[in-house]
C-alpha cells in the first residue's frame, strides 16, 4: 500500500488476555518503530527495528511486551496478560533508513482498550 | 534525558489569524528538531524540520527556527486556514553514535480554526 498500515484499528480485550498488534510498513523502508500514546501523554518510544533486528528495546514497559519483525517487513507487537494501564493508542512508523533524519511515516494506530 | 515541552491546548483561532505554538526542549547533545502534524483521521506526518542551530524549517506556510540559545523551536504561521485544524507535535532526535532514530515527542497541541 501507499502508507503504513496497522491492524486492527480498534481492539477491546479483557484484562489478562494476550493481544497482537500488526504493522505493515511502507515497502522498502528498512527501519520500523513502535510508539505508544496514552491519554494526555505524548508519544512514548517502545522499540525500533533495523531490518529484522531490534537494536533498541529500551522503551518496552515490561516483559509482558514483545515485538518481532519478519522478512524485513511486517512487525507484530504482542502484549501478554494485558492490564488496564496498557490501554492506549499504539502507533507504528517506518522510515527509509534509520538515522540521517529520514522522516518517519506513521500509521493510523491501533486503539487498545483493556476492560 | 531528553524532553520536549509544548504549549498546552486546545488553541482556537479564526481563519487568517496568526498562529504560534511554543516548543522548548532539553537535550544533552545536538538534536534535530521536528514538527509533526496529525490531521483528523490520519496518521502523523512530518511538517517541517531543522537540523542545526539557526536553521529555519518551513512547509505549507508554517515556519520554525532552531534557537539554541533559548532551546526553542516555536511553530508559526501568518494566516491559518480551516484546513490547518489538526494536532501538532514538537519532537527532537538526538544524534548518538551517528544515529538519530529515536524521536522524543511533546504531548501535542490541538488547533481548531473556525471560518
Amino acid at each position: 500500500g501507499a502508507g503504513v498500515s496497522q491492524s486492527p484499528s480498534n481492539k477491546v480485550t479483557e484484562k489478562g488476555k494476550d493481544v497482537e498488534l500488526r504493522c505493515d510498513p511502507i515497502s522498502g523502508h528498512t527501519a520500523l518503530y513502535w510508539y505508544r500514546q496514552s491519554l494526555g501523554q505524548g508519544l512514548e518510544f517502545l522499540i525500533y527495528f533495523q531490518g529484522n533486528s531490534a537494536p533498541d528495546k529500551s522503551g518496552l514497559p515490561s516483559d509482558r511486551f514483545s515485538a518481532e519483525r519478519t522478512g524485513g517487513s511486517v512487525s507484530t507487537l504482542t502484549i501478554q496478560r494485558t492490564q488496564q494501564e496498557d490501554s492506549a493508542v499504539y502507533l507504528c512508523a517506518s522510515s527509509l533508513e534509520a538515522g540521517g533524519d529520514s522522516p518517519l511515516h506513521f500509521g493510523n494506530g491501533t486503539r487498545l482498550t483493556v476492560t | 534525558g531528553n524532553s520536549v515541552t509544548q504549549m498546552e491546548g486546545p488553541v482556537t483561532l479564526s481563519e487568517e489569524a496568526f498562529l504560534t505554538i511554543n516548543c522548548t526542549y532539553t537535550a544533552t547533545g545536538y538534536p534535530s528538531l521536528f514538527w509533526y502534524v496529525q490531521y483528523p483521521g490520519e496518521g502523523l506526518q512530518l511538517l517541517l524540520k531543522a537540523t542545526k542551530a539557526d536553521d529555519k524549517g518551513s512547509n505549507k506556510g508554517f515556519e520554525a527556527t532552531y534557537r539554541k540559545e533559548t532551546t526553542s523551536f516555536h511553530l508559526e504561521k501568518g494566516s491559518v486556514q480551516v484546513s490547518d485544524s489538526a494536532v501538532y507535535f514538537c519532537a527532537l532526535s538526538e544524534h548518538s553514535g551517528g544515529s538519530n532514530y529515536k524521536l522524543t515527542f511533546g504531548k501535542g497541541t490541538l488547533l481548531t480554526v473556525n471560518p
Side-chain angles (χ1 to χ4, degrees), chain B:
Chain B
N2 299 336
S3 67
V4 174
T5 303
Q6 60 183 104
M7 64 186 289
E8 293 190 16
V11 175
T12 303
L13 296 173
S14 297
E15 206 163 22
E16 299 183 3
F18 184 85
L19 168 71
T20 299
I21 300 178
N22 289 339
C23 172
T24 57
Y25 67 89
T26 301
T28 55
Y30 303 95
S32 295
L33 301 174
F34 307 82
W35 279 98
Y36 276 78
V37 59
Q38 185 171 28
Y39 298 104
E42 299 183 16
L44 275 82
Q45 57 187 272
L46 179 65
L47 179 60
L48 54 84
K49 70 177 184 182
T51 58
K52 61 182 187 296
D54 300 324
D55 269 2
K56 177 185 286 186
S58 61
N59 186 25
K60 299 182 180 180
F62 290 88
E63 292 183 340
T65 301
Y66 189 139
R67 300 287 187 201
K68 196 169 190 295
E69 63 275 15
T70 54
T71 61
S72 65
F73 193 55
H74 305 321
L75 182 68
E76 296 183 336
K77 186 173 185 180
S79 176
V80 293
Q81 304 300 311
V82 173
S83 57
D84 294 328
S85 298
V87 182
Y88 292 81
F89 293 88
C90 186
L92 70 81
S93 69
E94 183 164 1
H95 293 260
S96 175
S99 174
N100 62 342
Y101 60 88
K102 187 188 297 185
L103 287 176
T104 300
F105 285 86
K107 294 184 179 181
T109 302
L110 173 63
L111 170 66
T112 301
V113 181
N114 295 319

Side-chain angles (χ1 to χ4, degrees), chain A:
Chain A
V4 177
S5 178
Q6 292 187 245
S7 60
S9 55
N10 280 284
K11 177 72 177 178
V12 180
T13 190
E14 292 180 354
K15 178 182 171 181
K17 296 288 179 75
D18 297 351
V19 294
E20 281 190 354
L21 312 180
R22 177 187 168 103
C23 173
D24 280 278
I26 293 173
S27 178
H29 280 195
T30 63
L32 185 148
Y33 315 77
W34 284 98
Y35 282 82
R36 177 170 75 173
Q37 185 175 24
S38 305
L39 187 64
Q41 301 298 315
L43 279 76
E44 173 190 13
F45 170 82
L46 297 179
I47 187 170
Y48 136 75
F49 288 91
Q50 178 60 48
N52 292 335
S53 63
D56 189 345
K57 309 178 184 179
S58 63
L60 295 177
S62 74
D63 59 6
R64 296 186 295 105
F65 287 72
S66 63
E68 65 174 12
R69 188 179 186 196
T70 56
S73 182
V74 172
S75 177
T76 303
L77 177 68
T78 301
I79 309 174
Q80 296 179 308
R81 305 181 302 282
T82 52
Q83 303 296 312
Q84 289 188 330
E85 61 263 27
D86 300 334
S87 296
V89 177
Y90 289 82
L91 293 171
C92 176
S94 69
S95 63
L96 196 58
E97 57 186 14
D101 298 315
S102 185
L104 271 63
H105 298 260
F106 283 83
N108 287 354
T110 294
R111 182 175 298 277
L112 175 67
T113 303
V114 181
T115 61

